[in-house]
Coordinates of all heavy atoms in Angstrom, one line a residue:
M1 N -97.4 95.2 -166.1 CA -98.8 95.1 -166.6 C -99.7 94.5 -165.5 O -99.3 93.5 -164.8 CB -98.7 94.1 -167.8 CG -100.1 93.9 -168.4 SD -100.0 92.7 -169.8 CE -101.5 91.8 -169.6
V2 N -100.9 95.0 -165.4 CA -101.8 94.5 -164.4 C -102.6 93.3 -165.0 O -103.1 93.4 -166.1 CB -102.8 95.6 -164.0 CG1 -103.9 95.0 -163.0 CG2 -102.1 96.8 -163.4
V3 N -102.6 92.2 -164.3 CA -103.3 91.0 -164.8 C -104.8 91.2 -164.4 O -105.1 91.3 -163.3 CB -102.8 89.7 -164.3 CG1 -103.6 88.5 -164.8 CG2 -101.3 89.6 -164.7
Q4 N -105.7 91.3 -165.4 CA -107.1 91.5 -165.2 C -107.8 90.1 -165.1 O -107.5 89.2 -165.8 CB -107.7 92.3 -166.3 CG -107.2 93.7 -166.3 CD -107.5 94.4 -167.6 OE1 -107.3 93.9 -168.6 NE2 -108.1 95.6 -167.5
E5 N -108.8 90.1 -164.2 CA -109.6 88.9 -164.0 C -110.5 88.8 -165.3 O -111.0 89.8 -165.8 CB -110.5 89.1 -162.8 CG -111.2 87.9 -162.3 CD -112.0 88.1 -161.1 OE1 -111.8 89.1 -160.4 OE2 -113.0 87.4 -160.9
A6 N -110.7 87.6 -165.7 CA -111.6 87.3 -166.9 C -113.0 87.6 -166.5 O -113.5 87.1 -165.4 CB -111.4 85.9 -167.3
K7 N -113.7 88.4 -167.3 CA -115.1 88.6 -167.1 C -116.0 87.5 -167.7 O -117.0 87.1 -167.2 CB -115.5 90.0 -167.7 CG -116.9 90.4 -167.5 CD -117.3 90.8 -166.1 CE -118.7 91.3 -166.0 NZ -119.0 91.5 -164.6
L8 N -115.5 87.1 -168.9 CA -116.2 86.1 -169.7 C -115.2 85.1 -170.2 O -114.1 85.4 -170.7 CB -116.8 86.8 -170.9 CG -117.9 86.1 -171.7 CD1 -119.2 86.4 -171.0 CD2 -117.9 86.7 -173.1
V9 N -115.5 83.8 -170.0 CA -114.6 82.7 -170.4 C -115.4 81.8 -171.3 O -116.5 81.4 -170.9 CB -114.1 82.0 -169.1 CG1 -113.3 80.8 -169.6 CG2 -113.2 82.9 -168.3
V10 N -114.8 81.5 -172.4 CA -115.4 80.5 -173.4 C -114.6 79.2 -173.3 O -113.4 79.3 -173.5 CB -115.5 81.1 -174.8 CG1 -116.0 80.1 -175.8 CG2 -116.3 82.4 -174.8
R11 N -115.3 78.1 -173.1 CA -114.6 76.8 -173.1 C -115.2 75.8 -174.1 O -116.4 75.5 -174.0 CB -114.7 76.2 -171.7 CG -113.9 76.9 -170.6 CD -113.8 76.1 -169.4 NE -113.2 76.8 -168.3 CZ -113.6 76.8 -167.0 NH1 -114.6 76.0 -166.7 NH2 -113.0 77.5 -166.1
N12 N -114.3 75.4 -175.0 CA -114.7 74.3 -175.9 C -116.0 74.6 -176.6 O -116.9 73.7 -176.7 CB -114.7 73.0 -175.1 CG -114.6 71.8 -176.0 OD1 -114.0 71.9 -177.0 ND2 -115.1 70.7 -175.5
L13 N -116.2 75.8 -177.1 CA -117.5 76.2 -177.7 C -117.5 75.8 -179.2 O -116.6 76.1 -179.9 CB -117.6 77.7 -177.6 CG -118.9 78.3 -178.3 CD1 -120.1 78.0 -177.4 CD2 -118.7 79.8 -178.5
S14 N -118.6 75.1 -179.5 CA -118.9 74.7 -180.9 C -120.3 75.1 -181.2 O -121.2 75.0 -180.4 CB -118.7 73.2 -181.1 OG -117.4 72.8 -180.9
V15 N -120.4 75.6 -182.5 CA -121.8 76.0 -182.9 C -122.0 75.4 -184.3 O -121.1 75.5 -185.2 CB -121.9 77.6 -183.1 CG1 -123.2 77.9 -183.7 CG2 -121.8 78.2 -181.7
Y16 N -123.1 74.7 -184.4 CA -123.5 74.0 -185.7 C -124.7 74.6 -186.2 O -125.7 74.9 -185.5 CB -123.7 72.5 -185.4 CG -122.5 71.8 -184.9 CD1 -122.2 71.7 -183.6 CD2 -121.7 71.1 -185.8 CE1 -121.1 71.0 -183.1 CE2 -120.6 70.4 -185.3 CZ -120.3 70.3 -183.9 OH -119.2 69.7 -183.5
Y17 N -124.8 74.8 -187.5 CA -126.0 75.1 -188.2 C -126.4 73.8 -189.0 O -125.8 73.5 -190.0 CB -125.9 76.3 -189.2 CG -125.5 77.6 -188.5 CD1 -124.2 78.1 -188.6 CD2 -126.4 78.3 -187.7 CE1 -123.8 79.2 -187.9 CE2 -126.0 79.5 -187.1 CZ -124.8 79.9 -187.2 OH -124.4 81.1 -186.5
G18 N -127.3 73.1 -188.5 CA -127.6 71.8 -189.0 C -126.3 70.9 -188.8 O -125.8 70.8 -187.6
D19 N -125.7 70.4 -189.8 CA -124.5 69.6 -189.7 C -123.3 70.4 -189.9 O -122.1 69.9 -189.8 CB -124.5 68.4 -190.8 CG -125.5 67.4 -190.5 OD1 -125.9 67.2 -189.3 OD2 -126.0 66.7 -191.4
F20 N -123.5 71.7 -190.3 CA -122.3 72.6 -190.6 C -121.7 73.2 -189.3 O -122.3 73.9 -188.6 CB -122.7 73.7 -191.5 CG -121.6 74.6 -191.9 CD1 -120.6 74.3 -192.7 CD2 -121.6 75.9 -191.3 CE1 -119.6 75.2 -193.0 CE2 -120.6 76.8 -191.6 CZ -119.6 76.4 -192.4
P21 N -120.4 72.8 -189.1 CA -119.7 73.4 -187.9 C -119.2 74.8 -188.2 O -118.2 75.0 -188.8 CB -118.6 72.4 -187.7 CG -118.3 71.8 -189.0 CD -119.5 71.9 -189.8
A22 N -119.9 75.8 -187.7 CA -119.5 77.2 -187.9 C -118.4 77.6 -186.9 O -117.5 78.4 -187.3 CB -120.7 78.2 -187.7
L23 N -118.4 77.0 -185.7 CA -117.3 77.2 -184.7 C -117.0 75.9 -184.1 O -117.9 75.1 -183.8 CB -117.8 78.2 -183.6 CG -118.2 79.6 -184.0 CD1 -118.7 80.3 -182.7 CD2 -117.0 80.4 -184.5
S24 N -115.7 75.6 -184.0 CA -115.3 74.3 -183.5 C -114.3 74.5 -182.3 O -113.2 75.0 -182.5 CB -114.5 73.5 -184.6 OG -115.4 73.2 -185.7
S25 N -114.8 74.1 -181.2 CA -113.9 74.0 -180.0 C -113.1 75.3 -179.7 O -111.9 75.3 -179.6 CB -112.9 72.8 -180.1 OG -113.6 71.6 -180.3
I26 N -113.9 76.4 -179.6 CA -113.3 77.7 -179.3 C -113.0 77.8 -177.8 O -113.9 77.5 -176.9 CB -114.3 78.8 -179.7 CG1 -114.6 78.7 -181.2 CG2 -113.7 80.2 -179.4 CD1 -113.5 79.0 -182.1
D27 N -111.8 78.3 -177.4 CA -111.5 78.7 -176.1 C -111.0 80.2 -176.1 O -110.1 80.5 -176.9 CB -110.4 77.8 -175.5 CG -110.9 76.4 -175.2 OD1 -111.6 76.2 -174.2 OD2 -110.4 75.5 -175.9
L28 N -111.6 81.0 -175.2 CA -111.1 82.3 -175.1 C -111.5 83.0 -173.8 O -112.4 82.5 -173.1 CB -111.5 83.2 -176.3 CG -113.0 83.5 -176.5 CD1 -113.4 84.8 -175.7 CD2 -113.3 83.7 -178.0
S29 N -110.8 84.0 -173.5 CA -111.0 84.7 -172.2 C -111.1 86.2 -172.4 O -110.2 86.7 -173.1 CB -109.9 84.3 -171.3 OG -110.0 84.9 -170.0
I30 N -112.1 86.9 -172.0 CA -112.3 88.3 -172.2 C -112.2 89.0 -170.8 O -113.0 88.7 -169.9 CB -113.6 88.6 -172.9 CG1 -113.7 87.9 -174.3 CG2 -113.9 90.1 -173.0 CD1 -114.9 88.1 -175.0
P31 N -111.2 89.9 -170.7 CA -111.0 90.5 -169.4 C -112.0 91.6 -169.1 O -112.6 92.2 -170.1 CB -109.6 91.1 -169.5 CG -109.3 91.3 -170.9 CD -110.1 90.2 -171.6
F32 N -112.2 91.9 -167.9 CA -113.1 93.0 -167.5 C -112.4 94.4 -167.8 O -111.2 94.5 -167.7 CB -113.3 93.0 -166.0 CG -114.1 94.1 -165.4 CD1 -115.5 94.2 -165.6 CD2 -113.4 95.2 -164.8 CE1 -116.2 95.3 -165.1 CE2 -114.2 96.3 -164.3 CZ -115.5 96.3 -164.5
G33 N -113.2 95.3 -168.4 CA -112.7 96.7 -168.5 C -111.7 96.9 -169.6 O -111.0 97.9 -169.6
A34 N -111.6 96.0 -170.6 CA -110.7 96.2 -171.7 C -111.4 96.0 -173.0 O -112.4 95.3 -173.1 CB -109.5 95.2 -171.6
A35 N -110.9 96.7 -174.0 CA -111.5 96.5 -175.4 C -111.0 95.2 -175.9 O -109.8 94.8 -175.8 CB -111.1 97.6 -176.3
T36 N -111.9 94.4 -176.5 CA -111.5 93.1 -177.1 C -112.1 93.1 -178.5 O -113.2 93.4 -178.8 CB -112.1 91.9 -176.3 OG1 -111.6 91.9 -175.0 CG2 -111.8 90.6 -177.0
A37 N -111.2 92.8 -179.5 CA -111.6 92.8 -180.9 C -111.7 91.3 -181.4 O -110.9 90.4 -181.0 CB -110.5 93.5 -181.7
V38 N -112.7 91.1 -182.2 CA -112.9 89.8 -182.9 C -112.7 90.1 -184.4 O -113.4 90.9 -185.0 CB -114.3 89.2 -182.7 CG1 -114.4 87.9 -183.4 CG2 -114.5 89.0 -181.2
I39 N -111.6 89.5 -185.0 CA -111.2 89.8 -186.3 C -111.2 88.6 -187.2 O -110.7 87.5 -186.8 CB -109.8 90.5 -186.3 CG1 -109.8 91.8 -185.5 CG2 -109.3 90.8 -187.7 CD1 -108.4 92.3 -185.3
G40 N -111.7 88.7 -188.4 CA -111.7 87.5 -189.3 C -112.4 87.8 -190.6 O -113.2 88.8 -190.6
G41 N -112.2 87.1 -191.6 CA -112.8 87.3 -192.9 C -114.3 87.0 -192.9 O -114.8 86.5 -191.9
S42 N -115.0 87.4 -194.0 CA -116.4 87.1 -194.1 C -116.6 85.6 -194.0 O -116.0 84.8 -194.6 CB -116.9 87.6 -195.4 OG -118.2 87.3 -195.6
G43 N -117.6 85.2 -193.1 CA -117.9 83.8 -192.9 C -117.0 83.1 -191.9 O -117.1 81.9 -191.7
A44 N -116.1 83.8 -191.3 CA -115.1 83.2 -190.3 C -115.9 82.7 -189.1 O -115.4 81.8 -188.4 CB -114.0 84.1 -190.0
G45 N -117.0 83.4 -188.8 CA -117.8 83.0 -187.6 C -117.8 84.0 -186.5 O -118.3 83.8 -185.4
K46 N -117.5 85.3 -186.9 CA -117.5 86.4 -185.9 C -118.9 86.6 -185.3 O -119.1 86.6 -184.1 CB -117.0 87.7 -186.5 CG -115.7 87.6 -187.1 CD -115.3 88.9 -187.8 CE -116.2 89.3 -189.0 NZ -116.1 88.4 -190.1
S47 N -119.9 86.7 -186.2 CA -121.3 86.9 -185.7 C -121.8 85.7 -184.9 O -122.5 85.9 -183.9 CB -122.2 87.2 -186.9 OG -121.8 88.4 -187.5
S48 N -121.5 84.5 -185.4 CA -121.9 83.3 -184.6 C -121.3 83.3 -183.2 O -122.0 83.0 -182.3 CB -121.4 82.1 -185.4 OG -122.0 82.0 -186.7
L49 N -120.0 83.7 -183.1 CA -119.4 83.8 -181.8 C -120.1 84.8 -180.9 O -120.5 84.5 -179.8 CB -117.9 84.1 -181.9 CG -117.2 84.4 -180.6 CD1 -117.1 83.1 -179.8 CD2 -115.7 84.9 -180.9
L50 N -120.3 86.0 -181.5 CA -120.9 87.1 -180.6 C -122.3 86.7 -180.2 O -122.7 86.9 -179.1 CB -120.9 88.4 -181.4 CG -119.6 89.0 -181.7 CD1 -119.7 90.3 -182.5 CD2 -118.8 89.2 -180.4
R51 N -123.1 86.1 -181.2 CA -124.5 85.6 -180.8 C -124.4 84.6 -179.7 O -125.3 84.5 -178.8 CB -125.2 85.1 -182.0 CG -125.7 86.2 -183.0 CD -126.7 85.7 -183.9 NE -126.2 84.6 -184.8 CZ -125.7 84.9 -186.0 NH1 -125.6 86.1 -186.5 NH2 -125.3 83.9 -186.8
S52 N -123.4 83.7 -179.8 CA -123.3 82.6 -178.8 C -123.0 83.1 -177.4 O -123.4 82.5 -176.4 CB -122.3 81.6 -179.2 OG -121.0 82.1 -179.0
L53 N -122.4 84.3 -177.3 CA -122.1 84.9 -176.0 C -123.3 85.5 -175.3 O -123.2 85.9 -174.1 CB -121.0 86.0 -176.2 CG -119.7 85.5 -176.8 CD1 -118.7 86.7 -176.8 CD2 -119.1 84.3 -176.1
C54 N -124.4 85.6 -176.0 CA -125.6 86.1 -175.3 C -126.8 85.3 -175.7 O -127.9 85.8 -175.6 CB -125.8 87.6 -175.6 SG -125.9 88.0 -177.4
R55 N -126.6 84.1 -176.1 CA -127.6 83.1 -176.4 C -128.6 83.6 -177.4 O -129.8 83.4 -177.3 CB -128.3 82.7 -175.1 CG -127.5 81.8 -174.2 CD -128.1 81.2 -173.0 NE -129.4 80.4 -173.3 CZ -130.0 79.7 -172.4 NH1 -129.6 79.7 -171.2 NH2 -131.1 79.1 -172.8
M56 N -128.1 84.3 -178.4 CA -128.9 84.7 -179.5 C -129.0 83.7 -180.7 O -129.9 83.7 -181.5 CB -128.4 86.1 -180.1 CG -128.5 87.2 -179.1 SD -130.2 87.7 -178.7 CE -130.6 88.8 -180.2
N57 N -128.0 82.8 -180.7 CA -128.0 81.8 -181.8 C -129.2 80.9 -181.7 O -129.7 80.5 -182.7 CB -126.7 80.9 -181.6 CG -125.5 81.4 -182.4 OD1 -125.7 82.1 -183.4 ND2 -124.4 81.2 -181.9
E58 N -129.7 80.7 -180.5 CA -130.8 79.8 -180.4 C -132.1 80.3 -180.9 O -133.2 79.7 -180.9 CB -131.0 79.3 -178.9 CG -131.3 80.5 -178.0 CD -131.0 80.1 -176.5 OE1 -129.8 79.8 -176.2 OE2 -131.9 80.0 -175.7
L59 N -132.1 81.6 -181.4 CA -133.3 82.1 -182.1 C -133.5 81.5 -183.4 O -134.6 81.5 -184.0 CB -133.1 83.7 -182.2 CG -133.0 84.5 -180.9 CD1 -132.8 85.9 -181.2 CD2 -134.2 84.2 -180.0
W60 N -132.4 80.8 -184.0 CA -132.6 79.9 -185.1 C -132.9 78.5 -184.7 O -132.2 78.0 -183.7 CB -131.4 80.0 -186.0 CG -131.2 81.2 -186.9 CD1 -131.8 81.3 -188.1 CD2 -130.5 82.4 -186.6 NE1 -131.5 82.6 -188.6 CE2 -130.7 83.2 -187.7 CE3 -129.8 82.8 -185.5 CZ2 -130.1 84.5 -187.7 CZ3 -129.2 84.1 -185.5 CH2 -129.4 84.9 -186.6
D61 N -133.8 77.8 -185.3 CA -134.1 76.5 -184.8 C -133.2 75.4 -185.3 O -133.3 74.2 -184.9 CB -135.6 76.1 -185.0 CG -136.0 76.2 -186.4 OD1 -135.2 76.4 -187.3 OD2 -137.2 76.2 -186.7
N62 N -132.3 75.7 -186.3 CA -131.4 74.6 -186.7 C -130.0 74.7 -186.0 O -129.0 74.1 -186.5 CB -131.2 74.7 -188.3 CG -130.4 76.0 -188.7 OD1 -130.5 77.0 -188.0 ND2 -129.7 76.0 -189.8
V63 N -129.9 75.5 -185.0 CA -128.6 75.8 -184.3 C -128.4 74.8 -183.1 O -129.3 74.6 -182.3 CB -128.5 77.2 -183.9 CG1 -127.2 77.5 -183.2 CG2 -128.6 78.2 -185.0
R64 N -127.2 74.3 -183.0 CA -126.8 73.5 -181.8 C -125.5 74.1 -181.3 O -124.6 74.4 -182.0 CB -126.6 72.1 -182.2 CG -126.3 71.2 -181.0 CD -126.5 69.7 -181.4 NE -125.9 69.3 -182.7 CZ -124.6 68.8 -182.8 NH1 -123.9 68.6 -181.7 NH2 -124.1 68.5 -183.9
T65 N -125.5 74.4 -180.0 CA -124.4 75.0 -179.3 C -123.9 74.0 -178.3 O -124.6 73.5 -177.5 CB -124.8 76.3 -178.6 OG1 -125.4 77.2 -179.6 CG2 -123.6 77.0 -178.0
E66 N -122.5 73.8 -178.3 CA -121.9 72.9 -177.3 C -120.8 73.7 -176.6 O -120.2 74.6 -177.2 CB -121.3 71.7 -178.0 CG -122.3 70.8 -178.6 CD -121.6 69.6 -179.4 OE1 -120.4 69.6 -179.5 OE2 -122.4 68.8 -179.9
G67 N -120.5 73.3 -175.4 CA -119.4 73.9 -174.6 C -120.0 74.9 -173.6 O -121.2 74.9 -173.3
Q68 N -119.1 75.7 -173.0 CA -119.5 76.6 -171.9 C -119.2 78.1 -172.2 O -118.2 78.3 -172.9 CB -118.8 76.2 -170.6 CG -119.2 74.9 -170.0 CD -118.5 74.7 -168.7 OE1 -117.3 74.9 -168.6 NE2 -119.2 74.3 -167.7
V69 N -120.1 79.0 -171.8 CA -119.8 80.4 -171.8 C -120.0 80.9 -170.3 O -121.1 80.9 -169.9 CB -120.7 81.2 -172.7 CG1 -120.4 82.7 -172.6 CG2 -120.5 80.7 -174.2
L70 N -118.9 81.2 -169.7 CA -119.0 81.6 -168.3 C -118.9 83.1 -168.1 O -118.0 83.7 -168.5 CB -117.8 80.9 -167.5 CG -117.7 79.4 -167.6 CD1 -116.4 78.9 -167.0 CD2 -118.8 78.7 -167.0
L71 N -120.0 83.6 -167.5 CA -120.1 85.1 -167.2 C -120.0 85.2 -165.7 O -120.9 84.7 -165.0 CB -121.4 85.7 -167.8 CG -121.6 87.1 -167.5 CD1 -120.6 88.0 -168.2 CD2 -123.0 87.6 -167.9
D72 N -118.9 85.8 -165.3 CA -118.6 85.9 -163.8 C -118.7 84.5 -163.2 O -119.2 84.3 -162.1 CB -119.6 86.8 -163.1 CG -119.5 88.3 -163.5 OD1 -118.3 88.7 -163.7 OD2 -120.5 89.0 -163.6
G73 N -118.2 83.5 -164.0 CA -118.1 82.1 -163.4 C -119.4 81.3 -163.6 O -119.3 80.1 -163.4
Q74 N -120.5 81.9 -164.1 CA -121.7 81.1 -164.3 C -121.9 80.8 -165.7 O -121.8 81.7 -166.6 CB -122.9 81.9 -163.7 CG -124.2 81.1 -163.8 CD -125.5 82.0 -163.7 OE1 -125.4 83.2 -163.9 NE2 -126.5 81.3 -163.2
D75 N -122.2 79.6 -166.0 CA -122.5 79.1 -167.4 C -123.8 79.7 -167.9 O -124.9 79.3 -167.3 CB -122.4 77.6 -167.5 CG -122.5 77.1 -169.0 OD1 -122.6 78.0 -169.9 OD2 -122.5 75.9 -169.2
I76 N -123.8 80.6 -168.9 CA -125.0 81.2 -169.4 C -125.9 80.1 -170.1 O -127.1 80.4 -170.3 CB -124.8 82.4 -170.3 CG1 -124.2 81.9 -171.6 CG2 -123.9 83.4 -169.6 CD1 -124.2 83.1 -172.7
Y77 N -125.4 78.9 -170.3 CA -126.2 77.9 -171.0 C -126.9 76.9 -170.0 O -127.5 76.0 -170.3 CB -125.4 77.1 -172.0 CG -125.2 77.9 -173.3 CD1 -124.1 78.7 -173.5 CD2 -126.2 77.9 -174.3 CE1 -124.0 79.5 -174.6 CE2 -126.1 78.7 -175.4 CZ -125.0 79.5 -175.6 OH -124.8 80.2 -176.7
D78 N -126.7 77.2 -168.7 CA -127.4 76.4 -167.7 C -128.9 76.5 -167.9 O -129.4 77.6 -168.1 CB -127.0 76.9 -166.2 CG -125.7 76.3 -165.7 OD1 -125.2 75.3 -166.4 OD2 -125.2 76.7 -164.7
P79 N -129.6 75.4 -167.8 CA -131.1 75.5 -168.0 C -131.8 76.5 -167.1 O -132.9 77.0 -167.6 CB -131.5 74.1 -167.8 CG -130.3 73.2 -167.8 CD -129.2 74.1 -167.4
D80 N -131.3 76.7 -165.9 CA -132.1 77.6 -165.0 C -131.7 79.1 -165.1 O -132.2 79.9 -164.4 CB -131.9 77.1 -163.6 CG -130.5 77.0 -163.2 OD1 -129.6 77.0 -164.1 OD2 -130.2 76.9 -162.0
V81 N -130.9 79.4 -166.1 CA -130.5 80.8 -166.3 C -131.6 81.6 -166.9 O -132.4 81.1 -167.8 CB -129.2 80.8 -167.2 CG1 -129.1 82.2 -167.9 CG2 -128.0 80.6 -166.4
D82 N -131.8 82.8 -166.4 CA -132.8 83.8 -167.0 C -132.1 84.4 -168.2 O -131.2 85.3 -168.1 CB -133.1 84.9 -165.9 CG -134.1 85.9 -166.4 OD1 -134.2 86.1 -167.6 OD2 -134.7 86.6 -165.5
V83 N -132.6 84.0 -169.4 CA -131.9 84.4 -170.6 C -132.0 85.9 -170.8 O -131.0 86.6 -171.3 CB -132.5 83.7 -171.8 CG1 -131.9 84.1 -173.1 CG2 -132.4 82.2 -171.7
T84 N -133.1 86.5 -170.5 CA -133.2 88.0 -170.7 C -132.2 88.7 -169.8 O -131.5 89.7 -170.2 CB -134.7 88.5 -170.3 OG1 -135.6 87.7 -171.1 CG2 -134.8 89.9 -170.6
E85 N -132.1 88.3 -168.6 CA -131.1 88.9 -167.6 C -129.7 88.7 -168.1 O -128.9 89.6 -168.1 CB -131.3 88.2 -166.3 CG -130.3 88.6 -165.2 CD -130.3 90.0 -164.8 OE1 -131.2 90.8 -165.2 OE2 -129.4 90.4 -164.0
V86 N -129.4 87.5 -168.6 CA -128.0 87.2 -169.2 C -127.7 88.1 -170.3 O -126.6 88.7 -170.4 CB -127.9 85.7 -169.6 CG1 -126.8 85.5 -170.7 CG2 -127.6 84.9 -168.4
R87 N -128.7 88.3 -171.3 CA -128.5 89.1 -172.4 C -128.2 90.6 -172.0 O -127.4 91.3 -172.6 CB -129.6 89.0 -173.4 CG -129.7 87.7 -174.1 CD -130.9 87.6 -175.0 NE -130.9 86.3 -175.6 CZ -132.0 85.6 -176.0 NH1 -133.2 86.2 -175.8 NH2 -131.9 84.4 -176.5
R88 N -128.9 91.0 -171.0 CA -128.7 92.4 -170.5 C -127.3 92.6 -170.0 O -126.6 93.6 -170.2 CB -129.8 92.7 -169.4 CG -129.8 94.2 -169.0 CD -130.8 94.4 -167.8 NE -130.3 93.7 -166.6 CZ -129.3 94.1 -165.8 NH1 -128.7 95.2 -166.1 NH2 -129.0 93.4 -164.8
R89 N -126.9 91.6 -169.2 CA -125.5 91.7 -168.6 C -124.4 91.6 -169.6 O -123.4 92.3 -169.5 CB -125.4 90.6 -167.5 CG -126.2 90.9 -166.2 CD -126.2 89.7 -165.3 NE -124.9 89.3 -164.9 CZ -124.5 88.1 -164.6 NH1 -125.4 87.1 -164.7 NH2 -123.3 87.8 -164.2
V90 N -124.6 90.7 -170.5 CA -123.5 90.5 -171.5 C -123.4 91.8 -172.4 O -122.3 92.3 -172.6 CB -123.8 89.3 -172.4 CG1 -122.8 89.3 -173.6 CG2 -123.7 88.0 -171.6
Ligands
LIG101 N1 -128.4 81.0 -189.5 C1 -127.5 80.3 -190.2 N2 -127.8 79.2 -190.9 C2 -126.9 78.5 -191.6 N3 -125.6 78.9 -191.7 C3 -125.2 80.0 -191.1 C4 -126.1 80.8 -190.3 N4 -125.5 81.9 -189.9 C5 -124.2 81.8 -190.3 N5 -124.0 80.6 -191.0 C6 -122.8 80.2 -191.6 O1 -121.8 80.1 -190.6 C7 -120.5 80.6 -191.0 C8 -120.1 81.7 -190.1 O2 -121.0 82.8 -190.4 P1 -120.9 84.1 -189.5 O3 -120.9 83.8 -188.1 O4 -122.0 85.0 -190.0 O5 -119.5 84.7 -190.0 P2 -118.9 86.2 -190.0 O6 -119.8 87.0 -189.0 O7 -117.5 86.1 -189.5 O8 -119.0 86.7 -191.4 C9 -120.7 80.9 -192.5 O9 -120.3 79.8 -193.3 C10 -122.2 81.2 -192.6 O10 -122.7 80.9 -193.9
LIG102 MG1 -120.9 88.8 -189.3

């Protein structure tokens, strides 16, 4: 098996809607060029996870995101990141 380099790395990601923790301390790694599935029951947090990978959660004003999402090694939550460009790449 060929070991693929991670394209996207999530470290210690938590997402809160107000005080409600929708995601708690998620770690995962998504390789380049492979299909990756996110599976879980209704309300498990799939949409919250996917939105957090392209900074779409912050479109709600009661959302708080903690942790890192590294795209090609760069944290997309860095304050100087161009959000539109990040969303296009993700
Ligand atoms: N904008 C929001 N405001 C408050 N709670 C939310 C919001 N979006 C999702 N939630 C809650 O977060 C949890 C995860 O939801 P979601 O990410 O939509 O799960 P899934 O996509 O797996 O069904 C659920 O309990 C849901 O009610
Ligand atoms: Mg969903």
Side-chain angles (χ1 to χ4, degrees):
M1 180 185 144
V2 177
V3 177
Q4 292 164 309
E5 192 182 337
K7 181 72 177 175
L8 197 84
V9 174
V10 174
R11 287 195 191 139
N12 203 24
L13 178 75
S14 297
V15 174
Y16 299 85
Y17 299 106
D19 292 332
F20 176 74
L23 297 174
S24 299
S25 304
I26 302 291
D27 289 288
L28 64 91
S29 182
I30 297 179
F32 174 78
T36 299
V38 178
I39 300 171
S42 177
K46 304 177 297 293
S47 294
S48 298
L49 174 63
L50 294 179
R51 285 196 297 268
S52 72
L53 301 185
C54 56
R55 287 186 58 172
M56 296 291 279
N57 273 329
E58 62 200 64
L59 299 179
W60 281 273
D61 55 12
N62 67 334
V63 179
R64 184 161 51 92
T65 305
E66 296 175 352
Q68 289 183 314
V69 176
L70 306 170
L71 179 65
D72 294 324
Q74 184 196 24
D75 188 359
I76 69 167
Y77 284 92
D78 276 349
D80 55 343
V81 155
D82 179 338
V83 179
T84 305
E85 170 68 5
V86 154
R87 287 176 184 153
R88 189 186 64 76
R89 289 170 58 209
V90 170

